[in-house]
Amino acid sequence: MNDAVVPSAADVPKAAPRVGFVSLGCPKALTDSELILTQLSAEGYQTSKTFDGADLVIVNTCGFIDEAVKESLDTIGEALAENGRVIVTGCLGAKTAEGGSNLVKSLHPSVLAVTGPHATQEVMDAVHQNLPKPHDPFLDLVPQSFGVAGLKLTPRHYAYLKISEGCNHRCTFCIIPSMRGDLVSRPIGDVLKEAQALFEGGVRELLVISQDTSAYGVDLKYRTGFWDGKPVKTRTLELAQALGELAAPFGAWVRLHYVYPYPSVDELIPLMAQGLVLPYLDVPFQHSHPEVLRRMKRPASGERNLERLARWRELCPQLVVRSTFIAGFPGETEAEFEHLLDFMREARIDRAGCFAYSPVEAATANELPGQLPAELREERRARFMAVAEEVSAAKLLERVGATMQVLVDSAPALGRKGGVGRSYADAPEIDGVVRLLPPEKISKTLKVGEFTRARIVGTEGHDLVAMPF
Ligand code: SF4
């Protein structure tokens, strides 16, 4: 006889409320998204990346350049059309329209709520108001594998670690400080705890981000915090050292982004030479000419960057430098632009990106005299990129024949048909990749999130081609 009991309607667990989530913008916005998703999941909400079947949609927006604003506004419009119940958060949410009203609300009055960036609690309050919290003690809480680090939007084997919010600088082309406020560094103990949880959860590459990584701890006067019962200063050098030591038992990588060329960076180079953190520096130079840098009000603009780069490379010959530049900044003369091209040739920046200057609403650079026509800005960007690509291609060619350690990002069929990975010289999303050929040895397999050694056999545009062994 069958003992099965037919459940009554009251016994059938109600599906958890579903929140669709769209995350736009930079890695800093991504970490905000992760915090909100972690909280939603901890409270028993289901989350998804689509609007389909969602009871409500959250859009995390970007408001940095005009194109990003457009993308964010379009996404909000789409979410309203398809779902109708939308909460907006992120940088665009902090922007005001002419007349001082909230920009998003004035363009999309039917959104349920709007918050600025890093506002997890405000977003959760808006969710609670519009989609009550589920009460189901059997719902899964935060996945244990990442513990204090919460949910990650990146693949499991790499993660961004945000060490501070905001920025004390006032670069004339940037409105981030007005959206995110002055620098607020996270306590070093919290940062290291999160890093450890990430490594324990399977992360093999930690990408340290902020608006200005070299300024970490300035707001706290480099106060001494505690980690693992020991005192440790809230400062980039001590942080990099501690992260390197935490990563070592896992064989994991630590990569530093957004480092300004202050003299204090010299102290980080020996850590790179020792292999404690990756010999990779993401330094947003933006320009080389002192007058343009002065008009941009860039931090560390008075440093002798060519000499500094030469000294860093002397201390750590394998150092890879990534940077971004702006061509056609207001008042840029042909001679100033040529100075930038000469700098690029001499500095031999391994990975360079360049934007044609474009005015950002409410940035002070908009008031500068000598605004250049769009075609000239674009033409200079193209000329810069031609030089940058020449430098980068020559540097990639120097790697042919070398053996490199590669972190595997994709490897269908255990890599029997090859795969895609990255070396220490390639940050995810922004740099090139290493295309892995099918291994010659039949027993050799490739697995996502694991390291393999590979011999570089050629180049392909910005990428390397390698034979794993
Ligand atoms: S350093 Fe300059 S560009 Fe970077 S966030 Fe601060 S103000 Fe903006």
Side-chain angles (χ1 to χ4, degrees):
M1 206 188 123
N2 191 337
D3 289 337
V5 178
V6 178
S8 71
D11 296 330
V12 178
K14 250 179 96 211
R18 195 178 181 86
V19 179
F21 202 103
V22 184
S23 186
L24 304 170
C26 63
K28 280 147 278 197
L30 193 69
T31 55
D32 284 353
S33 297
E34 289 168 351
L35 288 172
I36 297 166
L37 283 166
T38 298
Q39 192 56 35
L40 286 168
S41 171
E43 293 185 9
Y45 290 92
Q46 280 187 62
T47 56
S48 76
K49 283 186 190 162
T50 62
F51 310 150
D52 286 352
D55 298 298
L56 180 153
V57 176
I58 299 174
V59 182
N60 189 5
T61 58
C62 175
F64 187 40
I65 54 170
D66 292 351
E67 269 169 44
V69 170
K70 185 174 178 307
E71 186 191 13
S72 295
L73 287 172
D74 288 353
T75 308
I76 297 167
E78 221 176 284
L80 281 171
E82 284 192 32
N83 184 283
R85 290 163 54 76
V86 178
I87 293 172
V88 176
T89 182
C91 288
L92 186 64
K95 276 195 148 186
T96 45
E98 268 174 40
S101 58
N102 182 281
L103 178 76
V104 173
K105 277 213 173 126
S106 64
L107 293 172
H108 291 296
S110 59
V111 293
L112 299 173
V114 181
T115 83
H118 49 274
T120 309
Q121 196 46 53
E122 277 175 74
V123 173
M124 291 310 299
D125 290 346
V127 172
H128 296 153
Q129 248 178 37
N130 293 287
L131 187 63
K133 243 186 193 176
H135 292 290
D136 188 338
F138 300 111
L139 280 171
D140 282 346
L141 294 182
V142 184
Q144 287 309 301
S145 57
F146 280 120
V148 294
L151 281 179
K152 293 284 140 200
L153 288 175
T154 44
R156 194 182 167 80
H157 60 283
Y158 68 80
Y160 295 98
L161 178 70
K162 183 151 65 174
I163 59 170
S164 60
E165 266 302 346
C167 177
N168 286 346
H169 304 296
R170 295 294 180 266
C171 300
T172 51
F173 55 81
C174 176
I175 51 167
I176 284 178
S178 67
M179 293 192 291
R180 294 190 167 239
D182 280 341
L183 176 78
V184 179
S185 301
R186 292 179 60 198
I188 193 155
D190 290 4
V191 173
L192 293 173
K193 197 161 148 193
E194 181 175 343
Q196 182 162 40
L198 288 168
F199 291 134
E200 284 171 355
V203 163
R204 291 296 166 262
E205 178 179 7
L206 196 64
L207 302 124
V208 176
I209 56 162
S210 66
Q211 307 296 345
D212 177 0
T213 295
S214 20
Y216 177 63
V218 167
D219 53 317
L220 302 176
K221 303 201 168 50
Y222 305 120
R223 92 172 162 223
T224 300
F226 283 89
W227 165 245
D228 209 13
K230 290 184 221 96
V232 42
K233 255 193 176 175
T234 313
R235 203 166 63 150
T236 318
L237 176 67
E238 282 76 0
L239 175 70
Q241 168 108 27
L243 287 175
E245 284 165 6
L246 275 179
F250 299 93
W253 286 347
V254 177
R255 193 185 291 280
L256 303 178
H257 285 282
Y258 316 119
V259 175
Y260 287 99
Y262 299 117
S264 62
V265 175
D266 296 0
E267 298 176 340
L268 290 172
I269 308 297
L271 301 186
M272 298 184 175
Q274 280 167 44
L276 215 50
V277 296
L278 289 182
Y280 176 103
L281 264 187
D282 177 4
V283 191
F285 287 116
Q286 307 299 13
H287 211 281
S288 63
H289 196 285
E291 275 308 301
V292 181
L293 290 169
R294 194 187 51 76
R295 292 200 291 278
M296 288 178 168
K297 288 212 179 138
R298 287 298 287 165
S301 60
E303 308 301 332
R304 294 174 201 270
N305 289 332
L306 274 179
E307 287 168 31
R308 171 144 287 131
L309 276 169
R311 203 164 53 249
W312 291 347
R313 286 182 172 136
E314 220 169 90
L315 289 168
C316 181
Q318 67 275 39
L319 182 69
V320 160
V321 180
R322 138 160 291 277
S323 191
T324 46
F325 297 88
I326 297 175
F329 191 72
E332 185 189 62
T333 61
E334 177 61 26
E336 287 168 344
F337 177 65
E338 298 268 347
H339 187 280
L340 174 60
L341 294 184
D342 288 345
F343 172 81
M344 183 60 213
R345 287 186 196 102
E346 262 191 80
R348 301 196 81 221
I349 305 288
D350 303 74
R351 308 284 197 180
C354 183
F355 296 101
Y357 170 76
S358 94
V360 172
E361 207 191 304
T364 50
N366 302 355
E367 313 304 324
L368 289 173
Q371 304 277 329
L372 302 181
E375 310 78 69
L376 182 58
R377 291 183 252 143
E378 190 44 51
E379 186 221 54
R380 287 189 180 166
R381 188 202 68 84
R383 280 165 68 197
F384 177 92
M385 283 315 294
V387 174
E389 270 157 26
E390 230 172 78
V391 171
S392 164
K395 292 210 114 181
L396 283 182
L397 267 180
E398 288 168 14
R399 297 209 179 267
V400 175
T403 292
M404 298 185 87
Q405 197 191 20
V406 175
L407 181 57
V408 179
D409 285 330
S410 136
L414 289 176
R416 294 217 167 80
K417 294 187 177 149
V420 179
R422 288 173 297 104
S423 76
Y424 80 91
D426 317 304
E429 317 277 334
I430 49 175
D431 293 329
V433 296
V434 180
R435 301 204 173 281
L436 295 165
L437 299 168
E440 272 165 356
K441 243 204 300 176
I442 215 88
S443 58
K444 169 81 186 170
T445 56
L446 301 174
K447 287 196 196 113
V448 173
E450 291 187 1
F451 292 99
T452 180
R453 291 181 75 69
R455 198 178 58 258
I456 310 299
V457 296
T459 68
E460 232 178 59
H462 296 282
D463 303 332
L464 292 172
V465 181
M467 173 60 73
F469 62 89

